[in-house]
Amino acid sequence: MLDIDMIYDYPLYRPPSEAYSLIIQITLGCSHNKCTFCKMYKDKKFTIKPIEQIKKEIDFFRRRVGYIEKIFLADGDALIIPTPKLLEILDYINEKFPENKRISLYASPKSILLKTPEELKKIREKGVKLVYIGMESGDNEVLKDINKGVTAEEITEASLKAKEAGFQISVTVIAGICGEKDSTSHALNTAKVINKIIPDYFSILCLVVHDGTEIDRKIKLGEFREASGEDILKEIRMIVENINIPKGEKVIFRSNHASNYLGLKGDFPEDKEKFLSEINFAIKNDYIRERNERYLKY
Ligand code: SF4
């Protein structure tokens, strides 16, 4: 007899906006698992669960969940699943949860690029409406430094390809990822990529150093020093200043995660000046939020 702790292989992550979603864990871990700042799936070997097991788990949830509108497919890169198998999973989810209105998942730029436009369209048609993409930076030096495994050009191509197939895309960037080093190229090139891809959702998080990561090791060796809250806000200001979204387009922007030194919330292009004046006010008045480490460590 299955129980919830047998189904979920912890730790289990989902984006903040999926707090009320049913999480179906169809893969374990991350197919890349090499980013220098990331600890999320370090202890998990990347695995695609067998289809029969996934179906049993979907049945388990159906028996217990009365009504659910949003479903999130975990873990770190569910789109990497070969398309026929992913379509079979989506068919089964739609059969068992016909009331669902949105299925979403994390997708690495590589897994998007591996699919043909036709495959992506089929996946979209089966109810996957939103894909979360960890971009981290639009600067190739930074991407190389953090071992992201993709270039800014690949991130751009993958994001546009996902949009072209009809997905909404939610893109995340990390401020403070350069540490005390000059982050001008990171800020400018990140804004450049955002201007090209015009994501539906865009978030800036701030670097959180987790024990046991490569960045943590570098800090201990004196090879990396974290940027101050003020420098990180200046970096975010530079990203925001250089984001130019044409009128008629809309990018929903959030920078209000527990890792942020200042909460920002609104849309580009209409709230750009508001974001800048809030950042300037915070810097001028030293209104820089202290982060509560309790909410940041996992
Ligand atoms: S940041 Fe994303 S791609 Fe990089 S190791 Fe972590 S889960 Fe994998």
Side-chain angles (χ1 to χ4, degrees), residues 24 26-27 48-51 54-55 58 73 78 81-96 103 126:
I24 303 177
I26 62 177
T27 61
I48 298 174
K49 283 188 186 174
I51 188 84
I54 295 170
K55 287 184 176 175
I58 293 169
L73 305 180
I81 296 181
T83 303
K85 182 168 176 174
L86 184 55
L87 294 176
E88 189 178 342
I89 295 167
L90 292 169
D91 277 338
Y92 201 71
I93 289 174
N94 289 321
E95 182 192 324
K96 297 292 170 178
I103 301 173
K126 302 272 179 197

Side-chain angles (χ1 to χ4, degrees), residues 51-68:
I51 188 84
E52 289 316 316
Q53 184 184 347
I54 295 170
K55 287 184 176 175
K56 271 189 199 147
E57 293 176 3
I58 293 169
D59 292 341
F60 171 91
F61 289 121
R62 181 68 288 181
R63 285 195 297 273
R64 284 156 185 83
V65 177
Y67 179 85
I68 195 82

Side-chain angles (χ1 to χ4, degrees), residues 30 32-35 37-38 40-42 136 148:
C30 162
H32 177 58
N33 216 11
K34 291 188 190 118
C35 298
F37 61 89
C38 178
M40 287 165 79
Y41 305 112
K42 279 286 173 269
E136 331 307 1
K148 188 72 195 169

Side-chain angles (χ1 to χ4, degrees), residues 199-215:
D200 301 275
Y201 302 91
F202 169 44
S203 317
I204 303 181
L205 312 178
C206 297
L207 177 69
V208 178
V209 178
H210 295 285
D211 295 344
T213 57
E214 178 59 16
I215 284 202

Side-chain angles (χ1 to χ4, degrees), residues 135-198:
M135 167 176 154
E136 331 307 1
S137 176
D139 184 72
N140 279 330
E141 275 304 303
V142 175
L143 291 166
K144 201 166 140 211
D145 257 18
I146 64 174
N147 208 9
K148 188 72 195 169
V150 280
T151 62
E153 292 72 24
E154 286 169 321
I155 292 170
T156 306
E157 188 188 340
S159 301
L160 293 173
K161 191 174 174 186
K163 279 182 68 176
E164 182 61 34
F167 297 104
Q168 289 194 313
I169 59 168
S170 177
V171 169
T172 309
V173 157
I174 302 178
I177 196 74
C178 305
E180 277 192 340
K181 280 199 315 200
D182 182 14
S183 60
T184 306
S185 301
H186 167 56
L188 296 181
N189 287 324
T190 295
K192 213 184 264 178
V193 174
I194 294 295
N195 291 339
K196 271 192 205 151
I197 65 180
I198 314 185

